Amino acid sequence: MSISWPAVVAATAIGATIAWVWYSDWGLVGGVWRELTGVTKEDSRRGGKRPFIVLLASILVTALTLAAACSIASSFFASDSLWLDLAVGLASWLGFSSTTLVQHNAFEQKPTRLTVINSAYQLVLFLGMALAVGLLQ
């Protein structure tokens, strides 16, 4: 197994960019997300830098995990196919991320619309990061 550190760095940067485009106030769903979660701009200001540090750390862990999983899949299938890397991203999202989010949101009685927004974000996140890993690994 080998991990390309430039791929991890690129995947982390792409992950952070996807999060910003998705959730920022001028992004794709930022206003709707605020409405559904009740998190105001003032709440975000009070939160300071901590949420961004958590975001970057978790995206870095995701990038490392995807790079490792793509490397293992590449060795197992004896293939360097970009499609295989995207399949790893999709399987990771479906098998771990989406299912866990759906469970938590169901028990926490979160709005279905919020679950769809967050799950779609995670799908784009996993595929975008897997694409970066596949292109640079």
Side-chain angles (χ1 to χ4, degrees):
M1 177 176 79
S2 69
I3 292 178
S4 165
W5 293 104
V8 171
V9 170
T12 301
I14 286 172
T17 301
I18 290 168
W20 178 75
V21 167
W22 202 268
Y23 289 112
S24 68
D25 289 329
W26 48 89
L28 294 176
V29 297
V32 174
W33 176 85
R34 283 197 184 282
E35 175 188 317
L36 292 171
T37 61
V39 175
T40 66
K41 290 180 184 183
E42 180 56 35
D43 293 333
S44 293
R45 277 191 285 282
R46 273 196 308 271
K49 294 180 183 178
R50 183 177 183 275
F52 295 104
I53 293 167
V54 170
L55 173 74
L56 286 176
S58 64
I59 286 177
L60 175 60
V61 170
T62 302
L64 282 166
T65 304
L66 282 173
C70 288
S71 177
I72 291 167
S74 177
S75 294
F76 182 81
F77 290 107
S79 172
D80 288 333
S81 168
L82 183 60
W83 292 110
L84 179 59
D85 296 320
L86 290 170
V88 168
L90 179 65
S92 298
W93 167 78
L94 183 61
F96 302 109
S97 182
S98 179
T99 53
T100 302
L101 178 70
V102 168
Q103 291 170 36
H104 285 227
N105 284 9
F107 278 98
E108 293 173 2
Q109 299 180 10
K110 301 261 174 91
T112 301
R113 191 170 175 203
L114 180 61
T115 303
V116 170
I117 286 171
N118 290 337
S119 188
Y121 156 73
Q122 290 176 350
L123 174 61
V124 172
L125 178 75
F126 274 69
L127 292 178
M129 292 175 76
L131 179 64
V133 167
L135 290 172
L136 296 173
Q137 190 150 297

